[in-house]
């Protein structure tokens, strides 16, 4: 059913990968030199999604379930093999400037900051890329830096910052242009509990103050429970659940890992 | 001293790693052929209307390049060095420190494994090149100077010694990444310099005598020029002196590599996430 | 509008790179010393050849010096502008780092290419100018404004061509896991096409190295343009080759992006 207020509308999204398979040892290597074996792996199959403006959606599932594939399809990084996808009235696969200027991507395991320069230099580059006017840039930077409590670190080289500090700078870099929708792929991975809490509070504020829509993948229960009233569970590339987070994890302790929690709920189906 | 079995496994794994990437393997063989072809075009133009250049005939120069270019291609310590430098910069060097392995020995073993695979490809390409020259026409055999089997045998230990020296130099270059942010440009320049000094770019026999004599006191000609000259039956009489020079370099460079690693590796604690 | 926007982003990238260089004086001097060394090696090859012969395929020493100077100038310019950035394309593809470039409203190819703008390599152009000036003086060539304009125009065209060729060599990274041999292949093509005077290429070889693998055009065409040897036909042919390779490069890049699978979880 097409929800007219949806800013994400996905129907029948599918995506598979071609993987080379090689037997172990030198013999396997030599055989693969002559004949390459290919295996087709379905990463996402027939996936539907409607997401409204200002919603915060958690996407969970075991490793290899298809969470990151979904995020990459939504961000326009990859093209689906089949299905329809529309975000903010755009088709992400076309990667128009109009779409890219209204969305942001934060990946916990990849950085957009220049390692040898202060984060402020990377922000200036993003200012040029997104065409942010000077006064709006200054306001946005001040707001984000104070919100994430990193005002005194803006001029320090990124390589000298701790992981938590770097992650906060990544968020500033991603939010300077005040995107309408943000895709977060494991943004708190490797961070300690206080750093995770700080990031979550920041994201809640951004959602409350700006109506920013959020799609978040994470293995941390704290991220999902505290940020996402709605959760989609992906198992082996297919949607296994789409509904309230509280209902899904009603009997699960807070300190559980998401994977453990899902295993407990779905038992041997994983 | 760690178990030698570890490094035999590293050699095998590095060999298998090179086998796994067949696009690289076939492409490398093709390009070795292409380099010979380009050299032939250049030197045909240089020899246009001339029987000799610098005391060398075109068949000698062609055969020289046939051996020198292929032999120079065998070394893979450069790619090992690039990987090692990248690991140090990315904070992944800890993988060596946290296991009972010696990083220098690991590096040399991995380079040996990769070079061993490359040598099989080089042999394949050399056979193709010889076939190509023989198909060029009835007179094509006159394009090549016959090789000396005894010289080829003598060239093998010379080449191995040269590869060992170059591997140590590349290791020392790679661990500069402990100190400097960006050593990529330096590695590029080093590759150019070594290629020139080895004689793979231009026969050392064409250089002024004093310069040639000085170069022959370095380990670099062992990578291309010396094996090529020996394969052509030249320089066999000066082999004992050459061997002493090369062994001396092997020992000195090994000691330098150990000392440099001991000094620089303490800086590693500054990096990493 | 998009072209202007992309140019503004390139300018911001260059400024950021200059900041990095200014803050890393060690890297700056290392690049300068290294680039100078590379130049001397390239000059040494020709020096050794001309120690033994008076000409190569009819090109005397000074014409070859002019050719070497032009090659060195092109080399310095593209190493300054985009060489190291384009070298990083396969890594960006294989590690999935390309994701973050794709998620921005800035041409990802230009972003990758110019983010490693390397001002240190510009110093390679200084000995190049010297070589060119010395060669021109020894050849008795008194350059007119038109000759210099033609030379600069040809140089600019060739910088675009080198960019196209470099990207084309690396676009297979969307499909192949490693391109080490492709880099070696390109290096060999660049080395021999730049170091072999155009007079050595005849017949079919000339067609191959000026049209299908136009590495032979890169230093030769500006040299010929300076000495007024190109003519309208020569210019038209060179522009056609550059336009064709630019179109081929853009097509290959777009096709590569369409099959990009974005490594990493």
């Amino acid at each position: 059913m097409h929800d007219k207020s949806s800013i994400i509308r996905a129907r029948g999204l599918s995506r598979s990968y071609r993987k080379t398979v090689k037997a172990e040892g030198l013999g396997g290597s030599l055989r693969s030199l002559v004949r390459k074996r290919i295996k087709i792996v379905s990463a996402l199959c027939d996936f539907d999604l409607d997401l409204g403006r200002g919603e915060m959606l958690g996407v969970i599932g075991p490793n290899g379930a298809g969470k990151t594939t979904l995020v990459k399809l939504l961000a326009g990084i990859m093209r689906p093999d089949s299905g329809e996808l529309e975000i903010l009235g755009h088709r992400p696969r076309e990667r128009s400037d109009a779409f890219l200027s209204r969305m942001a991507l934060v990946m916990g395991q990849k950085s957009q900051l220049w390692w040898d320069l202060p984060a402020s230099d990377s922000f200036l580059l993003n200012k040029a890329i997104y065409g942010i006017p000077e006064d709006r840039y200054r306001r946005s930077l001040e707001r984000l830096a104070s919100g994430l409590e990193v005002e005194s670190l803006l001029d320090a080289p990124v390589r000298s910052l701790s992981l938590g500090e770097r992650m906060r700078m990544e968020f500033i870099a991603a939010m300077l242009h005040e995107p309408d929708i943000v895709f977060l792929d494991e943004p708190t991975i490797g961070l300690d509990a206080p750093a995770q809490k700080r990031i979550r509070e920041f994201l809640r504020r951004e959602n409350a103050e700006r109506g920013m829509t959020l799609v978040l993948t994470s293995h941390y229960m704290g991220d999902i429970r505290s940020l996402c009233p709605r959760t989609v569970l992906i198992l082996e590339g297919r949607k296994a659940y789409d509904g309230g987070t509280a209902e899904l994890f009603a009997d699960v302790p807070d300190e559980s890992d998401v994977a453990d929690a899902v295993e407990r709920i779905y038992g041997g189906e994983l | 001293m760690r178990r030698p079995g570890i490094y035999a496994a590293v050699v095998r794994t590095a060999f298998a790693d090179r086998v796994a990437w067949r696009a690289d393997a076939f492409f490398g063989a093709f390009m070795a052929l292409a380099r010979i072809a380009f050299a032939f075009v250049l030197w045909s133009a240089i020899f246009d209307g001339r029987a000799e250049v610098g005391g060398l005939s075109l068949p000698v120069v062609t055969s020289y390049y046939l051996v020198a270019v292929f032999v120079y291609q065998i070394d893979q310590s450069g790619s090992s060095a690039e990987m090692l430098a990248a690991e140090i910069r990315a904070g992944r060097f800890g993988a060596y420190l946290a296991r009972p392995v010696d990083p220098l020995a690991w590096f040399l073993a991995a380079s040996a494994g990769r070079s061993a695979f490359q040598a099989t490809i080089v042999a394949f390409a050399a056979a193709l090149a010889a076939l190509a020259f023989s198909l060029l026409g009835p007179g094509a055999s006159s394009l090549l100077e016959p090789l000396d089997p005894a010289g080829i045998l003598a060239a093998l230990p010379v080449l191995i010694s040269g590869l060992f020296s170059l591997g140590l130099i590349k290791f020392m270059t790679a661990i500069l990444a402990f100190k400097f942010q960006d050593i990529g440009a330096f590695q590029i320049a080093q590759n150019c310099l070594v290629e020139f000094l080895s004689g793979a770019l231009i026969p050392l026999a064409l250089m002024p005598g004093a310069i040639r004599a000085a170069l022959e006191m370095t380990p670099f000609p062992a990578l291309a020029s010396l094996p090529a000259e020996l394969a052509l039956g030249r320089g066999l009489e000066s082999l004992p002196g050459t061997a002493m020079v090369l062994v001396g370099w092997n020992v000195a460079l090994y000691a330098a590599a150990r000392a440099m690693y001991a000094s620089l590796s303490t800086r590693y604690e500054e990096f990493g996430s | 509008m998009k072209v202007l926007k992309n140019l503004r982003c390139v300018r911001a990238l260059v400024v950021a790179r200059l900041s990095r260089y200014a803050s890393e004086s060690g890297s700056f001097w290392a690049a300068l010393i290294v680039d100078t060394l590379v130049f001397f090696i390239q000059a040494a090859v020709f020096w050794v050849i001309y120690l033994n012969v008076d000409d190569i395929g009819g090109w005397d020493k000074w014409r070859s010096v002019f050719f070497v100077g032009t090659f060195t100038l092109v080399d310095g310019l593209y190493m300054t502008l985009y060489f190291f950035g384009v070298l990083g394309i396969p890594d960006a593809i294989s590690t999935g780092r390309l994701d973050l470039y794709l998620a921005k409203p800035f041409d990802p190819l230009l972003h990758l290419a110019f983010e490693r703008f390397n001002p240190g390599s510009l110093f390679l152009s200084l000995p190049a100018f010297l070589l060119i000036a010395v060669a021109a003086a020894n050849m008795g060539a008194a350059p007119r404004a038109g000759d210099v304009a033609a030379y600069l125009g040809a140089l600019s065209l060739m910088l675009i061509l080198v960019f196209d060729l470099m990207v084309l060599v690396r676009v297979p990274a969307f499909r192949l896991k490693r391109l080490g041999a492709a880099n070696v292949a390109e290096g060999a093509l660049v080395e021999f096409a730049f170091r072999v005077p155009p007079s050595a290429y005849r017949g079919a070889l000339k067609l191959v190295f000026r049209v299908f693998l136009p590495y032979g055009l890169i230093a030769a065409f500006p040299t010929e343009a300076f000495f007024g040897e190109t003519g309208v036909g020569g210019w038209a042919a060179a522009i056609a080759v550059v336009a064709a390779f630019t179109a081929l490069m853009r097509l290959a890049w777009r096709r590569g992006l369409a099959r990009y699978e974005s490594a990493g979880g």
Side-chain angles (χ1 to χ4, degrees):
Chain A
M1 190 72 163
H2 180 197
D3 179 351
K4 290 197 173 102
S5 66
S6 300
I7 65 169
I8 292 183
R9 179 181 166 270
R11 292 289 176 273
L13 281 186
S14 295
R15 173 75 206 208
S16 54
Y17 297 107
R18 292 162 60 89
K19 294 207 184 291
T20 308
V21 176
K22 181 193 86 68
E24 70 172 32
L26 185 55
S29 299
L30 288 167
R31 276 195 296 278
S32 75
L33 194 66
V34 176
R35 195 174 63 174
K36 192 163 67 167
R37 282 169 50 213
I38 306 284
K39 188 171 134 183
I40 308 288
V41 174
S42 176
L44 202 67
C45 192
D46 206 25
F47 188 91
D48 295 345
L49 181 69
D50 284 289
L51 191 69
R53 191 175 297 277
E55 273 202 75
M56 294 170 79
L57 175 74
V59 179
I60 62 171
N63 286 336
K67 308 185 293 298
T68 301
T69 299
L70 173 65
V71 167
K72 288 177 180 177
L73 290 173
L74 295 176
I77 290 168
M78 290 195 305
R79 297 176 168 207
D81 294 333
S82 61
E84 293 170 18
L85 177 60
E86 201 177 271
I87 300 181
L88 296 165
H90 300 278
R91 293 174 71 192
R93 69 192 294 161
E94 289 165 7
R95 296 188 53 253
S96 66
D97 280 2
F99 168 67
L100 296 174
S101 296
R102 294 178 68 188
M103 73 93 169
L105 174 65
V106 178
M107 304 181 95
Q109 303 195 59
K110 290 172 190 160
S111 172
Q112 64 169 299
L113 302 173
W114 287 42
W115 187 250
D116 303 312
L117 288 176
S120 52
D121 283 355
S122 296
F123 301 157
L124 281 173
L125 180 59
N126 271 6
K127 174 176 177 275
I129 288 172
Y130 290 101
I132 308 171
E134 178 68 23
D135 55 343
R136 201 177 117 208
Y137 169 76
R138 290 287 156 210
R139 272 200 317 272
S140 197
L141 180 57
E142 202 181 298
R143 179 178 66 78
L144 292 167
S146 65
L148 286 164
E149 296 169 35
V150 290
E151 300 104 309
S152 60
L153 299 173
L154 292 177
D155 294 331
V158 167
R159 67 175 186 268
S160 68
L161 303 177
S162 70
L163 180 60
E165 289 161 349
R166 281 208 299 274
M167 220 39 236
R168 282 183 267 166
M169 297 301 187
E170 291 285 347
F171 274 100
I172 295 177
M175 310 281 201
L176 275 170
H177 63 290
E178 296 174 345
D180 294 314
I181 182 164
V182 177
F183 302 106
L184 301 163
D185 188 34
E186 301 193 41
T188 61
I189 191 165
L191 299 182
D192 58 23
Q196 288 178 347
K197 190 176 166 206
R198 199 179 275 128
I199 299 266
R200 288 171 204 153
E201 282 166 2
F202 164 76
L203 289 170
R204 264 199 299 276
R205 265 200 315 273
E206 287 293 300
N207 172 256
E209 288 172 11
R210 291 201 308 107
M212 182 185 76
T213 307
L214 193 89
V215 176
L216 164 75
T217 76
S218 180
H219 285 292
Y220 298 115
M221 187 64 71
D223 286 350
I224 302 297
R225 265 187 156 141
S226 67
L227 287 172
C228 308
R230 177 182 165 199
T231 293
V232 157
L233 167 66
I234 303 179
L235 295 176
E236 293 178 351
R238 291 185 179 274
K239 190 196 285 189
Y241 177 86
D242 183 352
T245 303
E247 291 81 356
L248 178 64
F249 295 120
D251 300 322
V252 174
D254 225 18
E255 58 276 11
S256 292
D257 177 70
V258 165
D260 290 342
V262 170
E263 175 127 18
R264 198 185 303 192
I265 295 165
Y266 283 85
E269 288 180 19
L270 286 180
Chain B
M1 173 73 172
R2 288 183 167 129
R3 302 190 317 276
I6 296 174
Y7 305 108
V10 172
V11 171
R12 279 198 304 275
T13 307
F15 188 99
D17 178 64
R18 289 291 296 173
V19 169
W21 305 109
R22 63 169 166 276
D24 265 15
F26 290 126
F27 210 62
F30 173 77
M31 279 324 299
L33 281 171
R35 291 191 99 185
I36 300 296
F38 294 147
F40 184 68
V41 168
L42 170 64
W43 287 96
S44 294
I46 294 170
F47 273 91
D48 191 20
R50 299 180 178 99
E52 278 192 357
V53 171
L56 304 174
S57 65
L58 181 56
V60 168
V61 170
T62 308
S63 295
Y64 172 91
Y65 272 102
L66 199 63
V67 177
V69 168
F70 283 127
V71 155
Y72 187 75
Q73 292 255 331
I74 289 173
D75 173 65
Q76 294 295 298
S77 60
S79 59
S80 298
E82 284 171 21
M83 284 184 214
L84 177 59
E87 284 171 340
I88 292 169
R89 292 207 59 215
R92 295 196 305 266
F93 189 73
Y96 296 102
L97 302 176
R99 290 185 291 178
V101 296
D102 169 23
L104 173 55
W106 182 289
F107 176 87
L108 292 172
S111 300
R114 293 188 179 108
S115 299
F117 174 72
Q118 195 70 12
T120 63
I121 297 300
V122 158
F124 167 70
L128 271 181
L131 181 67
F133 274 108
S134 71
L135 290 174
L136 276 173
S141 59
S142 66
L143 287 173
L144 294 175
E145 184 79 2
L147 300 181
D148 177 7
I152 292 171
L153 276 174
L156 287 173
V158 167
L159 177 62
I160 290 169
S161 173
L163 290 172
F164 185 68
S165 284
L166 185 63
L168 291 166
I169 290 170
K170 295 278 182 171
F171 177 80
M172 286 190 278
T173 308
I175 60 175
L176 286 174
F178 283 124
K179 188 177 162 101
F180 298 109
Q181 292 302 317
D182 189 353
I183 61 167
F186 181 69
Q187 285 175 314
I188 292 169
Q190 184 190 62
N191 292 340
C192 292
L193 185 62
V194 169
E195 192 173 14
F196 178 74
L197 297 175
S198 72
L201 220 49
I202 192 149
L204 299 185
L206 295 178
M207 294 195 185
I211 295 176
R212 185 183 179 177
L215 283 177
E216 284 171 357
M217 294 305 290
T218 71
F220 304 114
L223 296 164
S225 173
L226 274 174
E229 298 271 354
L230 287 167
L232 285 165
R234 299 164 173 238
L236 280 162
E237 64 285 351
S238 53
L239 200 52
T242 302
M244 279 175 58
V245 168
L246 292 176
V247 169
W249 276 107
N250 287 165
V251 170
L253 287 169
Y254 182 80
R258 281 279 175 218
M260 195 166 159
Y261 175 74
S263 165
L264 286 177
S265 59
T266 54
R267 298 173 74 94
Y268 182 67
E269 287 75 62
E270 296 177 28
F271 293 89
S273 57
Chain C
M1 278 296 285
K2 191 156 182 174
V3 170
L4 280 175
K5 195 273 177 83
N6 280 329
L7 284 174
R8 277 197 296 272
C9 294
V10 168
R11 187 183 66 188
L13 266 176
V14 167
V15 166
R17 281 296 290 178
L18 288 170
S19 298
R20 182 186 182 274
Y21 252 85
S23 65
E24 295 279 338
S25 60
S27 290
F28 176 81
W29 289 110
L32 173 59
I33 291 166
V34 156
D35 288 345
T36 308
L37 182 67
V38 168
F39 156 73
F40 275 115
I41 289 167
Q42 287 155 357
V45 170
F46 268 82
W47 172 71
V48 171
I49 294 174
Y50 278 103
L51 277 178
N52 294 274
V53 299
D54 291 328
D55 70 276
I56 300 173
W59 275 33
D60 68 12
K61 180 168 67 176
W62 295 114
R63 200 171 177 88
S64 289
V65 168
F66 191 99
F67 174 76
V68 169
T70 299
F71 151 54
T72 308
L73 180 60
V74 173
D75 199 32
L77 288 172
Y78 77 68
M79 283 182 78
T80 300
L81 291 170
Y82 52 71
F83 174 78
F84 296 102
V86 175
L87 271 193
I89 288 175
D91 176 75
I93 292 168
S94 67
T95 60
R97 185 164 57 89
L98 182 59
D99 294 356
L100 292 169
Y101 296 81
L102 292 173
K104 296 212 169 105
F106 175 24
D107 188 313
L109 179 58
L110 291 180
H111 194 163
L112 281 165
F114 287 94
E115 74 168 358
R116 293 190 192 174
F117 173 81
N118 183 41
S121 291
L122 207 53
F123 285 88
L124 194 59
S125 306
L126 295 176
F129 280 122
L130 184 65
L131 269 185
I132 289 164
V134 165
N138 277 279
M139 288 171 73
R144 298 165 300 181
D147 297 333
V148 174
Y151 184 76
L152 294 175
L155 217 57
S156 305
L157 207 56
M158 292 303 105
L159 285 172
I160 297 171
L161 180 62
V162 172
F163 180 80
D164 296 338
L165 292 170
M166 283 193 71
V167 172
L168 278 168
V169 165
R170 283 150 189 91
V171 157
F174 282 112
R175 194 181 152 78
L176 302 173
K177 291 290 186 292
R178 278 200 206 164
L179 293 181
N183 288 333
V184 167
E186 183 191 43
L189 277 165
V190 165
E191 173 197 314
F192 281 94
F194 279 1
R195 287 176 182 158
V196 177
S199 54
Y201 295 122
R202 291 170 195 138
L205 271 179
K206 196 165 182 174
L207 190 65
V208 167
F209 286 107
R210 287 199 162 226
V211 177
F212 300 110
L213 285 173
Y215 292 88
L217 208 54
I218 292 168
F221 181 65
T223 303
E224 290 160 358
F226 183 83
F227 291 107
E229 293 166 5
T230 45
V232 171
W235 275 98
I239 290 168
V241 166
V242 174
F245 273 87
T246 302
L248 185 63
M249 181 273 292
R250 289 305 300 186
L251 180 66
W253 176 257
R254 261 187 245 119
R255 285 253 171 99
L257 278 184
R259 45 176 315 137
Y260 176 58
E261 289 194 342
S262 178

